Amino acid sequence: MKSWVPHSTDSDFSIHHLPFGIFKTATRNVRVGVAIGEHILDMKLLAREGFLKDWDYPQNVFSQPFLNGLMALGRTASAALRRELQSLLSSENPALRDSALRDELLVPMKSAELLLPVNVRDYTDFYSSIEHATNVGTMFRGPENALMPNWKHLPVGYHGRASSIIVSGTDIHRPKGQKTPAEGASQPGFGPTNLLDIELEMAFITCKPNALGASISTEAAEDHIWGMVLFNDWSARDIQKWEYVPLGPFLGKSFASSISAWVTPMEALEPFRCAGPEQDPEVLPYLTYSGQKNYDIDLEVWLETPSGVKQKIAHSNFKYMYWNMVQQLAHHTVNGCNINVGDMYGSGTISGPTPDSYGSLLELTWRGSKPIQLTDGTERKFLQDGDTIVLKGYCKTPAVRLGFGEVRTTILPAI
Ligand code: CA
């Protein structure tokens, strides 16, 4: 399949992708768009001008400030919309290609502002990469007790903070907080974090609620999952270390989590399904599943510094996840917890098997004991003010490539 919209073969936004986002320009108010090559297809205008012949749902979902309305129509609606958009953008189809409105419908991406695509009501973060959990457990408890006794029996998670989920391009200030008291001190330390870290994650977004008290089976879970984004779960390790006992992460995490601007619909990821790692011991019946539930998505972490360094510091893959998304959702709801349209679920840090595939600076530098050497001769244990972190993700087969764009965030000094 080829598109009449010109784009290079290594574009993140090929006709095979068609991710959804929210944008505005100097002359257009906030609305839904679809990325294609270097352009955004204006969905509000496309619907108003009558190009969506097969769309049997409300048109106003395309003029809303978030994708929640569109997502709430469910997987069947989004799959049908995707088919129609692929047809309209295909080089075979003259309907849009030869239309007088074509230039007005395609907005150059560089002239648009990309906004937070989802109104996130609830955010849950899992801890589902066995390599990450093993690395962190080894550092803090030693290799004998790296995984807690529950880890291979349930996807460990916690409830995160939805209000501080921010879109790519939003800078953050170095957070402040309490830290472990210095030796002999009567009070804890306080001030800007010295151990600012990233967590390389992906997140999925739900489109279909369940009733309070009802559970979602692994078999039904995919019907509730609409799409995915890249996710950087910022972490202040010194604040986290002092506060987390006994209830887990709080202010060391809640200051910000950054997501990519384009939401990739699950339909686009079909060619990239793969088997997950074998789960041993056997899981409880409600966590069993059939079929391929992992996805082969290459992930990269780039560090850019004020001195001009642009360096890839990690390369991982979403396929390493021990617990997959349908298991996470089945576990999340097994107690009858209700989920909502627009809820976001972080995978947990995605580390791979080799030291260059670790998804956090904590692991990459092994608690700061092995600093990362940068190309300008300096080094990093944790992030400095002015540093920019860019997450990237892409999938490819010989015939199809799609990318998740990027999550770009710069660290500003503490306020
Ligand atoms: Ca996390």
Side-chain angles (χ1 to χ4, degrees):
M1 197 182 342
K2 287 193 71 169
S3 176
W4 52 264
V5 182
H7 58 267
S8 65
T9 50
D10 63 351
S11 169
D12 277 355
F13 307 123
S14 64
I15 192 169
H16 304 286
H17 192 182
L18 305 184
F20 291 84
I22 298 290
F23 77 102
K24 66 178 182 180
T25 70
T27 54
R28 297 177 207 226
N29 58 9
V30 179
R31 61 192 63 194
V32 173
V34 167
I36 175 80
E38 305 292 313
H39 287 84
I40 301 172
L41 183 61
D42 182 332
M43 291 299 298
K44 178 181 175 179
L45 200 55
L46 189 78
R48 195 183 74 196
E49 296 298 335
F51 283 98
L52 297 179
K53 308 282 185 216
D54 300 337
W55 185 248
D56 297 327
Y57 303 89
Q59 276 191 19
N60 68 358
V61 294
F62 300 121
S63 39
Q64 292 173 6
F66 293 106
L67 296 176
N68 296 49
L70 175 62
M71 293 191 298
L73 300 175
R75 291 286 303 269
T76 308
S78 55
L81 178 60
R82 174 179 167 78
R83 281 194 295 277
E84 186 158 29
L85 290 174
Q86 278 190 326
S87 166
L88 279 169
L89 292 165
S90 151
S91 23
E92 322 286 294
N93 187 342
L96 189 51
R97 184 192 70 199
D98 298 347
S99 158
L101 288 167
R102 141 186 180 158
D103 289 345
E104 206 186 333
L105 285 160
L106 284 176
V107 179
M109 206 180 286
K110 59 177 183 292
S111 73
E113 184 184 350
L114 299 175
L115 305 170
L116 187 70
V118 180
N119 184 14
V120 183
R121 286 183 55 177
D122 261 315
Y123 150 49
T124 299
D125 197 25
F126 287 98
Y127 188 59
S128 288
S129 150
I130 195 165
E131 289 84 0
H132 172 67
T134 303
N135 286 339
V136 173
T138 300
M139 269 181 242
F140 292 97
R141 288 184 298 276
E144 306 303 312
N145 304 305
L147 293 182
M148 297 300 273
N150 61 5
W151 201 90
K152 285 186 167 181
H153 296 284
L154 56 85
V156 169
Y158 73 99
H159 290 288
R161 184 75 195 168
S163 66
S164 53
I165 292 180
I166 52 178
V167 72
S168 176
T170 310
D171 298 338
I172 61 169
H173 287 277
R174 178 175 298 271
K176 292 181 298 228
Q178 288 198 20
K179 306 169 205 177
T180 309
E183 187 100 11
S186 60
Q187 293 258 295
F190 181 82
T193 176
N194 297 316
L195 306 180
L196 185 55
D197 199 356
I198 57 152
E199 290 191 339
L200 170 62
E201 303 193 18
M202 297 202 68
F204 70 87
I205 302 154
T206 46
C207 59
K208 181 178 169 184
N210 59 319
L212 182 69
S215 304
I216 298 172
S217 67
T218 56
E219 202 172 26
E222 286 187 347
D223 206 29
H224 295 259
I225 300 174
W226 196 81
M228 294 185 73
V229 290
L230 297 168
F231 193 89
N232 185 352
D233 184 27
W234 294 97
S235 301
R237 300 296 180 197
D238 40 4
I239 297 172
Q240 184 181 359
K241 185 182 175 202
W242 170 237
E243 74 177 0
Y244 86 101
V245 180
L247 288 186
F250 190 35
L251 306 187
K253 297 282 191 176
S254 62
F255 57 95
S257 305
S258 303
I259 66 168
S260 47
W262 294 105
V263 182
T264 298
M266 294 314 293
E267 289 79 14
L269 295 171
E270 278 300 320
F272 308 104
R273 280 184 187 269
C274 62
E278 193 195 338
Q279 295 183 324
D280 180 25
E282 206 173 320
V283 297
L284 289 180
Y286 81 93
L287 289 169
T288 58
Y289 65 95
S290 56
Q292 297 188 321
K293 302 298 181 190
N294 278 44
Y295 293 86
D296 185 356
I297 303 171
D298 275 282
L299 300 168
E300 296 178 355
V301 182
W302 289 73
L303 172 64
E304 300 181 7
T305 71
S307 64
V309 171
K310 288 187 180 180
Q311 190 168 330
K312 183 164 72 174
I313 59 171
H315 187 165
S316 187
N317 194 301
F318 187 63
K319 72 183 176 189
Y320 297 133
M321 300 294 292
Y322 187 87
W323 295 102
N324 60 50
M325 294 183 280
V326 303
Q327 291 180 308
Q328 290 171 337
L329 203 53
H331 182 65
H332 203 303
T333 58
V334 74
N335 65 346
C337 171
N338 55 326
I339 63 160
N340 278 302
V341 175
D343 288 354
M344 194 163 283
Y345 306 80
S347 56
T349 309
I350 304 161
S351 293
T354 56
D356 61 351
S357 64
Y358 296 165
S360 65
L361 291 169
L362 178 72
E363 297 162 86
L364 287 166
T365 71
W366 211 256
R367 291 173 97 173
S369 66
K370 296 177 187 166
I372 297 171
Q373 303 303 317
L374 301 183
T375 51
D376 67 350
T378 63
E379 59 181 37
R380 284 292 182 285
K381 296 174 179 169
F382 290 91
L383 296 171
Q384 296 183 2
D385 292 346
D387 285 349
T388 297
I389 285 288
V390 183
L391 306 187
K392 299 178 187 180
Y394 57 91
C395 320
K396 60 180 177 185
T397 66
V400 177
R401 185 191 186 284
L402 63 85
F404 285 78
E406 63 177 26
V407 191
R408 174 179 292 272
T409 319
T410 298
I411 312 300
L412 305 175
I415 299 176

